[in-house]
Amino acid sequence: MVDVSGKVRSPGLQRLPAGSRVEDALRAAGGVRSGADTEGLNRARLLVDGEQVVVGAPAPAAAPVTGGGSLAGGAGGPGSGTAPSAPVSLNTATVDQLDTLPGVGPVLAQHIIEYRTEHGGFRSVDELREVNGIGDRRFADLQNLVRP
């Protein structure tokens, strides 16, 4: 079950079979409306139960990052030690996006993605504690920076 919103013909909840992709969700929602920007949408990405697919939403504005300029989306680059300005989705984030979180490098980011693949996604932030490499201290640092 995914929520398809934004510039689609029939926004709302869509029930799709396991293994469906963003393209399948768009088709189930009647397709993308004419003129909608889909540039940042990975249509081939596998969906996770409970996620939201937004079509035509503006890209997040750049936000200043302490200690050196700004990056699109307000997220610090890999190894920058700065946290993203908006919570990172555990169910849709890429390795690079997870790598922007404090204390998360490419290996731990891959563990998070493997966990969500094996368990059908995160239903709550607390499930992050079950990921190999995340103890109480790291969880405390991350819990307010992520969402399911």
Side-chain angles (χ1 to χ4, degrees), residues 103-134:
V104 177
V107 173
L108 186 52
Q110 189 59 47
H111 286 310
I112 293 169
I113 290 173
E114 288 168 2
Y115 178 91
R116 83 174 177 219
T117 302
E118 291 171 15
H119 296 88
F122 288 85
R123 286 159 196 66
S124 75
V125 171
D126 287 336
E127 282 184 67
L128 194 55
R129 292 178 189 260
E130 298 173 31
V131 174
N132 183 24
I134 297 185

PDB file of all heavy atoms in Angstrom, residues 103-134:
ATOM      1  N   GLY A 103      27.390   9.919  12.090  1.00  0.00           N
ATOM      2  CA  GLY A 103      27.762   8.576  12.533  1.00  0.00           C
ATOM      3  C   GLY A 103      27.385   7.474  11.556  1.00  0.00           C
ATOM      4  O   GLY A 103      27.594   6.301  11.844  1.00  0.00           O
ATOM      5  N   VAL A 104      26.815   7.833  10.409  1.00  0.00           N
ATOM      6  CA  VAL A 104      26.434   6.830   9.411  1.00  0.00           C
ATOM      7  C   VAL A 104      27.354   6.999   8.205  1.00  0.00           C
ATOM      8  O   VAL A 104      27.383   8.040   7.577  1.00  0.00           O
ATOM      9  CB  VAL A 104      24.963   6.986   8.968  1.00  0.00           C
ATOM     10  CG1 VAL A 104      24.629   5.984   7.871  1.00  0.00           C
ATOM     11  CG2 VAL A 104      24.027   6.820  10.147  1.00  0.00           C
ATOM     12  N   GLY A 105      28.095   5.967   7.911  1.00  0.00           N
ATOM     13  CA  GLY A 105      28.944   5.949   6.724  1.00  0.00           C
ATOM     14  C   GLY A 105      28.335   5.010   5.694  1.00  0.00           C
ATOM     15  O   GLY A 105      27.236   4.484   5.893  1.00  0.00           O
ATOM     16  N   PRO A 106      29.040   4.753   4.610  1.00  0.00           N
ATOM     17  CA  PRO A 106      28.485   3.909   3.551  1.00  0.00           C
ATOM     18  C   PRO A 106      28.170   2.477   4.001  1.00  0.00           C
ATOM     19  O   PRO A 106      27.195   1.890   3.546  1.00  0.00           O
ATOM     20  CB  PRO A 106      29.554   3.911   2.463  1.00  0.00           C
ATOM     21  CG  PRO A 106      30.660   4.776   2.921  1.00  0.00           C
ATOM     22  CD  PRO A 106      30.319   5.330   4.260  1.00  0.00           C
ATOM     23  N   VAL A 107      28.964   1.930   4.910  1.00  0.00           N
ATOM     24  CA  VAL A 107      28.728   0.550   5.362  1.00  0.00           C
ATOM     25  C   VAL A 107      27.448   0.478   6.192  1.00  0.00           C
ATOM     26  O   VAL A 107      26.582  -0.379   5.956  1.00  0.00           O
ATOM     27  CB  VAL A 107      29.936   0.011   6.147  1.00  0.00           C
ATOM     28  CG1 VAL A 107      29.625  -1.344   6.760  1.00  0.00           C
ATOM     29  CG2 VAL A 107      31.156  -0.096   5.237  1.00  0.00           C
ATOM     30  N   LEU A 108      27.300   1.375   7.160  1.00  0.00           N
ATOM     31  CA  LEU A 108      26.095   1.375   7.989  1.00  0.00           C
ATOM     32  C   LEU A 108      24.865   1.727   7.150  1.00  0.00           C
ATOM     33  O   LEU A 108      23.788   1.151   7.342  1.00  0.00           O
ATOM     34  CB  LEU A 108      26.233   2.344   9.165  1.00  0.00           C
ATOM     35  CG  LEU A 108      25.089   2.333  10.175  1.00  0.00           C
ATOM     36  CD1 LEU A 108      24.797   0.922  10.674  1.00  0.00           C
ATOM     37  CD2 LEU A 108      25.414   3.257  11.340  1.00  0.00           C
ATOM     38  N   ALA A 109      25.021   2.641   6.201  1.00  0.00           N
ATOM     39  CA  ALA A 109      23.911   2.978   5.304  1.00  0.00           C
ATOM     40  C   ALA A 109      23.453   1.730   4.548  1.00  0.00           C
ATOM     41  O   ALA A 109      22.255   1.481   4.399  1.00  0.00           O
ATOM     42  CB  ALA A 109      24.335   4.069   4.329  1.00  0.00           C
ATOM     43  N   GLN A 110      24.405   0.926   4.102  1.00  0.00           N
ATOM     44  CA  GLN A 110      24.059  -0.317   3.392  1.00  0.00           C
ATOM     45  C   GLN A 110      23.342  -1.288   4.323  1.00  0.00           C
ATOM     46  O   GLN A 110      22.401  -1.961   3.926  1.00  0.00           O
ATOM     47  CB  GLN A 110      25.314  -0.955   2.794  1.00  0.00           C
ATOM     48  CG  GLN A 110      25.014  -2.120   1.871  1.00  0.00           C
ATOM     49  CD  GLN A 110      24.127  -1.735   0.694  1.00  0.00           C
ATOM     50  OE1 GLN A 110      24.344  -0.737   0.031  1.00  0.00           O
ATOM     51  NE2 GLN A 110      23.110  -2.531   0.440  1.00  0.00           N
ATOM     52  N   HIS A 111      23.765  -1.358   5.603  1.00  0.00           N
ATOM     53  CA  HIS A 111      23.074  -2.216   6.580  1.00  0.00           C
ATOM     54  C   HIS A 111      21.617  -1.781   6.748  1.00  0.00           C
ATOM     55  O   HIS A 111      20.720  -2.623   6.865  1.00  0.00           O
ATOM     56  CB  HIS A 111      23.771  -2.179   7.946  1.00  0.00           C
ATOM     57  CG  HIS A 111      25.057  -2.932   8.005  1.00  0.00           C
ATOM     58  ND1 HIS A 111      25.206  -4.218   7.585  1.00  0.00           N
ATOM     59  CD2 HIS A 111      26.277  -2.545   8.459  1.00  0.00           C
ATOM     60  CE1 HIS A 111      26.450  -4.616   7.772  1.00  0.00           C
ATOM     61  NE2 HIS A 111      27.132  -3.608   8.287  1.00  0.00           N
ATOM     62  N   ILE A 112      21.368  -0.470   6.768  1.00  0.00           N
ATOM     63  CA  ILE A 112      20.006   0.051   6.903  1.00  0.00           C
ATOM     64  C   ILE A 112      19.169  -0.371   5.697  1.00  0.00           C
ATOM     65  O   ILE A 112      18.039  -0.837   5.832  1.00  0.00           O
ATOM     66  CB  ILE A 112      20.024   1.586   7.071  1.00  0.00           C
ATOM     67  CG1 ILE A 112      20.667   1.966   8.411  1.00  0.00           C
ATOM     68  CG2 ILE A 112      18.618   2.165   6.959  1.00  0.00           C
ATOM     69  CD1 ILE A 112      20.971   3.445   8.582  1.00  0.00           C
ATOM     70  N   ILE A 113      19.722  -0.236   4.506  1.00  0.00           N
ATOM     71  CA  ILE A 113      18.999  -0.615   3.291  1.00  0.00           C
ATOM     72  C   ILE A 113      18.749  -2.119   3.254  1.00  0.00           C
ATOM     73  O   ILE A 113      17.655  -2.573   2.891  1.00  0.00           O
ATOM     74  CB  ILE A 113      19.755  -0.124   2.037  1.00  0.00           C
ATOM     75  CG1 ILE A 113      19.646   1.406   1.973  1.00  0.00           C
ATOM     76  CG2 ILE A 113      19.219  -0.781   0.771  1.00  0.00           C
ATOM     77  CD1 ILE A 113      20.468   2.065   0.902  1.00  0.00           C
ATOM     78  N   GLU A 114      19.733  -2.917   3.665  1.00  0.00           N
ATOM     79  CA  GLU A 114      19.547  -4.378   3.709  1.00  0.00           C
ATOM     80  C   GLU A 114      18.439  -4.747   4.694  1.00  0.00           C
ATOM     81  O   GLU A 114      17.607  -5.613   4.410  1.00  0.00           O
ATOM     82  CB  GLU A 114      20.858  -5.066   4.083  1.00  0.00           C
ATOM     83  CG  GLU A 114      21.888  -5.023   2.966  1.00  0.00           C
ATOM     84  CD  GLU A 114      23.280  -5.432   3.412  1.00  0.00           C
ATOM     85  OE1 GLU A 114      23.477  -5.788   4.601  1.00  0.00           O
ATOM     86  OE2 GLU A 114      24.187  -5.386   2.548  1.00  0.00           O
ATOM     87  N   TYR A 115      18.417  -4.075   5.865  1.00  0.00           N
ATOM     88  CA  TYR A 115      17.371  -4.348   6.854  1.00  0.00           C
ATOM     89  C   TYR A 115      15.992  -4.054   6.269  1.00  0.00           C
ATOM     90  O   TYR A 115      15.074  -4.866   6.391  1.00  0.00           O
ATOM     91  CB  TYR A 115      17.596  -3.520   8.126  1.00  0.00           C
ATOM     92  CG  TYR A 115      16.508  -3.755   9.152  1.00  0.00           C
ATOM     93  CD1 TYR A 115      16.644  -4.745  10.108  1.00  0.00           C
ATOM     94  CD2 TYR A 115      15.328  -3.008   9.132  1.00  0.00           C
ATOM     95  CE1 TYR A 115      15.645  -4.983  11.033  1.00  0.00           C
ATOM     96  CE2 TYR A 115      14.322  -3.240  10.050  1.00  0.00           C
ATOM     97  CZ  TYR A 115      14.482  -4.227  10.997  1.00  0.00           C
ATOM     98  OH  TYR A 115      13.481  -4.471  11.895  1.00  0.00           O
ATOM     99  N   ARG A 116      15.836  -2.883   5.632  1.00  0.00           N
ATOM    100  CA  ARG A 116      14.510  -2.532   5.104  1.00  0.00           C
ATOM    101  C   ARG A 116      14.089  -3.474   3.993  1.00  0.00           C
ATOM    102  O   ARG A 116      12.911  -3.791   3.853  1.00  0.00           O
ATOM    103  CB  ARG A 116      14.446  -1.071   4.685  1.00  0.00           C
ATOM    104  CG  ARG A 116      14.986  -0.768   3.318  1.00  0.00           C
ATOM    105  CD  ARG A 116      14.729   0.687   2.951  1.00  0.00           C
ATOM    106  NE  ARG A 116      15.298   0.983   1.672  1.00  0.00           N
ATOM    107  CZ  ARG A 116      15.918   2.107   1.356  1.00  0.00           C
ATOM    108  NH1 ARG A 116      16.027   3.067   2.242  1.00  0.00           N
ATOM    109  NH2 ARG A 116      16.404   2.284   0.158  1.00  0.00           N
ATOM    110  N   THR A 117      15.050  -3.958   3.193  1.00  0.00           N
ATOM    111  CA  THR A 117      14.727  -4.906   2.121  1.00  0.00           C
ATOM    112  C   THR A 117      14.273  -6.240   2.702  1.00  0.00           C
ATOM    113  O   THR A 117      13.274  -6.808   2.270  1.00  0.00           O
ATOM    114  CB  THR A 117      15.953  -5.111   1.204  1.00  0.00           C
ATOM    115  OG1 THR A 117      16.335  -3.841   0.666  1.00  0.00           O
ATOM    116  CG2 THR A 117      15.647  -6.065   0.069  1.00  0.00           C
ATOM    117  N   GLU A 118      14.997  -6.724   3.710  1.00  0.00           N
ATOM    118  CA  GLU A 118      14.678  -8.019   4.322  1.00  0.00           C
ATOM    119  C   GLU A 118      13.377  -7.992   5.124  1.00  0.00           C
ATOM    120  O   GLU A 118      12.710  -9.009   5.243  1.00  0.00           O
ATOM    121  CB  GLU A 118      15.818  -8.459   5.244  1.00  0.00           C
ATOM    122  CG  GLU A 118      17.082  -8.833   4.500  1.00  0.00           C
ATOM    123  CD  GLU A 118      18.259  -9.054   5.451  1.00  0.00           C
ATOM    124  OE1 GLU A 118      18.053  -9.190   6.675  1.00  0.00           O
ATOM    125  OE2 GLU A 118      19.400  -9.077   4.949  1.00  0.00           O
ATOM    126  N   HIS A 119      13.020  -6.839   5.689  1.00  0.00           N
ATOM    127  CA  HIS A 119      11.862  -6.753   6.583  1.00  0.00           C
ATOM    128  C   HIS A 119      10.680  -5.998   5.983  1.00  0.00           C
ATOM    129  O   HIS A 119       9.727  -5.693   6.689  1.00  0.00           O
ATOM    130  CB  HIS A 119      12.275  -6.113   7.914  1.00  0.00           C
ATOM    131  CG  HIS A 119      13.255  -6.941   8.672  1.00  0.00           C
ATOM    132  ND1 HIS A 119      14.609  -6.838   8.490  1.00  0.00           N
ATOM    133  CD2 HIS A 119      13.068  -7.911   9.595  1.00  0.00           C
ATOM    134  CE1 HIS A 119      15.221  -7.711   9.279  1.00  0.00           C
ATOM    135  NE2 HIS A 119      14.304  -8.375   9.959  1.00  0.00           N
ATOM    136  N   GLY A 120      10.758  -5.676   4.702  1.00  0.00           N
ATOM    137  CA  GLY A 120       9.639  -4.984   4.064  1.00  0.00           C
ATOM    138  C   GLY A 120       9.508  -3.536   4.490  1.00  0.00           C
ATOM    139  O   GLY A 120       8.417  -2.972   4.460  1.00  0.00           O
ATOM    140  N   GLY A 121      10.602  -2.939   4.915  1.00  0.00           N
ATOM    141  CA  GLY A 121      10.575  -1.527   5.285  1.00  0.00           C
ATOM    142  C   GLY A 121      10.508  -1.329   6.782  1.00  0.00           C
ATOM    143  O   GLY A 121      10.373  -2.273   7.559  1.00  0.00           O
ATOM    144  N   PHE A 122      10.632  -0.067   7.173  1.00  0.00           N
ATOM    145  CA  PHE A 122      10.559   0.329   8.574  1.00  0.00           C
ATOM    146  C   PHE A 122       9.138   0.782   8.877  1.00  0.00           C
ATOM    147  O   PHE A 122       8.579   1.592   8.152  1.00  0.00           O
ATOM    148  CB  PHE A 122      11.527   1.490   8.856  1.00  0.00           C
ATOM    149  CG  PHE A 122      12.975   1.091   8.852  1.00  0.00           C
ATOM    150  CD1 PHE A 122      13.686   1.034   7.666  1.00  0.00           C
ATOM    151  CD2 PHE A 122      13.622   0.776  10.038  1.00  0.00           C
ATOM    152  CE1 PHE A 122      15.023   0.668   7.659  1.00  0.00           C
ATOM    153  CE2 PHE A 122      14.957   0.412  10.039  1.00  0.00           C
ATOM    154  CZ  PHE A 122      15.660   0.357   8.846  1.00  0.00           C
ATOM    155  N   ARG A 123       8.559   0.260   9.949  1.00  0.00           N
ATOM    156  CA  ARG A 123       7.233   0.691  10.359  1.00  0.00           C
ATOM    157  C   ARG A 123       7.335   1.783  11.424  1.00  0.00           C
ATOM    158  O   ARG A 123       6.406   2.535  11.630  1.00  0.00           O
ATOM    159  CB  ARG A 123       6.437  -0.494  10.878  1.00  0.00           C
ATOM    160  CG  ARG A 123       5.979  -1.403   9.740  1.00  0.00           C
ATOM    161  CD  ARG A 123       5.642  -2.797  10.232  1.00  0.00           C
ATOM    162  NE  ARG A 123       5.558  -3.806   9.202  1.00  0.00           N
ATOM    163  CZ  ARG A 123       6.559  -4.245   8.449  1.00  0.00           C
ATOM    164  NH1 ARG A 123       7.744  -3.759   8.564  1.00  0.00           N
ATOM    165  NH2 ARG A 123       6.386  -5.195   7.558  1.00  0.00           N
ATOM    166  N   SER A 124       8.486   1.834  12.096  1.00  0.00           N
ATOM    167  CA  SER A 124       8.723   2.884  13.093  1.00  0.00           C
ATOM    168  C   SER A 124      10.220   3.162  13.164  1.00  0.00           C
ATOM    169  O   SER A 124      11.032   2.325  12.777  1.00  0.00           O
ATOM    170  CB  SER A 124       8.203   2.469  14.471  1.00  0.00           C
ATOM    171  OG  SER A 124       9.073   1.514  15.059  1.00  0.00           O
ATOM    172  N   VAL A 125      10.563   4.315  13.696  1.00  0.00           N
ATOM    173  CA  VAL A 125      11.968   4.690  13.862  1.00  0.00           C
ATOM    174  C   VAL A 125      12.650   3.738  14.838  1.00  0.00           C
ATOM    175  O   VAL A 125      13.831   3.427  14.707  1.00  0.00           O
ATOM    176  CB  VAL A 125      12.076   6.164  14.326  1.00  0.00           C
ATOM    177  CG1 VAL A 125      13.506   6.509  14.717  1.00  0.00           C
ATOM    178  CG2 VAL A 125      11.583   7.098  13.230  1.00  0.00           C
ATOM    179  N   ASP A 126      11.898   3.232  15.831  1.00  0.00           N
ATOM    180  CA  ASP A 126      12.475   2.332  16.831  1.00  0.00           C
ATOM    181  C   ASP A 126      13.085   1.078  16.217  1.00  0.00           C
ATOM    182  O   ASP A 126      14.001   0.495  16.786  1.00  0.00           O
ATOM    183  CB  ASP A 126      11.418   1.939  17.871  1.00  0.00           C
ATOM    184  CG  ASP A 126      11.087   3.083  18.807  1.00  0.00           C
ATOM    185  OD1 ASP A 126      11.937   3.984  18.959  1.00  0.00           O
ATOM    186  OD2 ASP A 126       9.975   3.086  19.372  1.00  0.00           O
ATOM    187  N   GLU A 127      12.595   0.654  15.049  1.00  0.00           N
ATOM    188  CA  GLU A 127      13.161  -0.524  14.385  1.00  0.00           C
ATOM    189  C   GLU A 127      14.615  -0.316  13.990  1.00  0.00           C
ATOM    190  O   GLU A 127      15.342  -1.284  13.760  1.00  0.00           O
ATOM    191  CB  GLU A 127      12.362  -0.881  13.126  1.00  0.00           C
ATOM    192  CG  GLU A 127      11.074  -1.591  13.395  1.00  0.00           C
ATOM    193  CD  GLU A 127      10.395  -1.994  12.110  1.00  0.00           C
ATOM    194  OE1 GLU A 127      10.929  -2.861  11.395  1.00  0.00           O
ATOM    195  OE2 GLU A 127       9.330  -1.414  11.812  1.00  0.00           O
ATOM    196  N   LEU A 128      15.044   0.924  13.921  1.00  0.00           N
ATOM    197  CA  LEU A 128      16.430   1.230  13.572  1.00  0.00           C
ATOM    198  C   LEU A 128      17.388   0.569  14.569  1.00  0.00           C
ATOM    199  O   LEU A 128      18.509   0.203  14.219  1.00  0.00           O
ATOM    200  CB  LEU A 128      16.628   2.744  13.547  1.00  0.00           C
ATOM    201  CG  LEU A 128      17.888   3.290  12.907  1.00  0.00           C
ATOM    202  CD1 LEU A 128      18.046   2.798  11.475  1.00  0.00           C
ATOM    203  CD2 LEU A 128      17.863   4.807  12.930  1.00  0.00           C
ATOM    204  N   ARG A 129      16.936   0.373  15.807  1.00  0.00           N
ATOM    205  CA  ARG A 129      17.759  -0.287  16.835  1.00  0.00           C
ATOM    206  C   ARG A 129      18.142  -1.708  16.430  1.00  0.00           C
ATOM    207  O   ARG A 129      19.121  -2.246  16.931  1.00  0.00           O
ATOM    208  CB  ARG A 129      17.004  -0.354  18.164  1.00  0.00           C
ATOM    209  CG  ARG A 129      16.771   0.966  18.824  1.00  0.00           C
ATOM    210  CD  ARG A 129      15.959   0.736  20.104  1.00  0.00           C
ATOM    211  NE  ARG A 129      15.503   1.963  20.692  1.00  0.00           N
ATOM    212  CZ  ARG A 129      16.097   2.537  21.727  1.00  0.00           C
ATOM    213  NH1 ARG A 129      17.156   1.996  22.275  1.00  0.00           N
ATOM    214  NH2 ARG A 129      15.621   3.660  22.221  1.00  0.00           N
ATOM    215  N   GLU A 130      17.359  -2.332  15.554  1.00  0.00           N
ATOM    216  CA  GLU A 130      17.607  -3.714  15.157  1.00  0.00           C
ATOM    217  C   GLU A 130      18.632  -3.840  14.033  1.00  0.00           C
ATOM    218  O   GLU A 130      19.029  -4.940  13.677  1.00  0.00           O
ATOM    219  CB  GLU A 130      16.287  -4.366  14.735  1.00  0.00           C
ATOM    220  CG  GLU A 130      15.281  -4.413  15.867  1.00  0.00           C
ATOM    221  CD  GLU A 130      13.923  -4.906  15.423  1.00  0.00           C
ATOM    222  OE1 GLU A 130      13.858  -5.730  14.492  1.00  0.00           O
ATOM    223  OE2 GLU A 130      12.924  -4.461  16.023  1.00  0.00           O
ATOM    224  N   VAL A 131      19.065  -2.720  13.475  1.00  0.00           N
ATOM    225  CA  VAL A 131      20.048  -2.736  12.388  1.00  0.00           C
ATOM    226  C   VAL A 131      21.434  -2.985  12.965  1.00  0.00           C
ATOM    227  O   VAL A 131      21.829  -2.352  13.949  1.00  0.00           O
ATOM    228  CB  VAL A 131      20.017  -1.407  11.603  1.00  0.00           C
ATOM    229  CG1 VAL A 131      21.131  -1.353  10.570  1.00  0.00           C
ATOM    230  CG2 VAL A 131      18.659  -1.213  10.941  1.00  0.00           C
ATOM    231  N   ASN A 132      22.161  -3.909  12.335  1.00  0.00           N
ATOM    232  CA  ASN A 132      23.526  -4.216  12.754  1.00  0.00           C
ATOM    233  C   ASN A 132      24.377  -2.950  12.722  1.00  0.00           C
ATOM    234  O   ASN A 132      24.460  -2.287  11.695  1.00  0.00           O
ATOM    235  CB  ASN A 132      24.103  -5.279  11.807  1.00  0.00           C
ATOM    236  CG  ASN A 132      25.485  -5.717  12.210  1.00  0.00           C
ATOM    237  OD1 ASN A 132      25.877  -5.619  13.371  1.00  0.00           O
ATOM    238  ND2 ASN A 132      26.242  -6.203  11.245  1.00  0.00           N
ATOM    239  N   GLY A 133      24.981  -2.597  13.858  1.00  0.00           N
ATOM    240  CA  GLY A 133      25.837  -1.418  13.921  1.00  0.00           C
ATOM    241  C   GLY A 133      25.192  -0.216  14.589  1.00  0.00           C
ATOM    242  O   GLY A 133      25.837   0.815  14.766  1.00  0.00           O
ATOM    243  N   ILE A 134      23.923  -0.336  14.975  1.00  0.00           N
ATOM    244  CA  ILE A 134      23.255   0.783  15.639  1.00  0.00           C
ATOM    245  C   ILE A 134      22.942   0.385  17.075  1.00  0.00           C
ATOM    246  O   ILE A 134      22.077  -0.447  17.331  1.00  0.00           O
ATOM    247  CB  ILE A 134      21.976   1.219  14.896  1.00  0.00           C
ATOM    248  CG1 ILE A 134      22.362   1.717  13.514  1.00  0.00           C
ATOM    249  CG2 ILE A 134      21.237   2.287  15.700  1.00  0.00           C
ATOM    250  CD1 ILE A 134      21.250   2.277  12.706  1.00  0.00           C
TER     251      ILE A 134
END
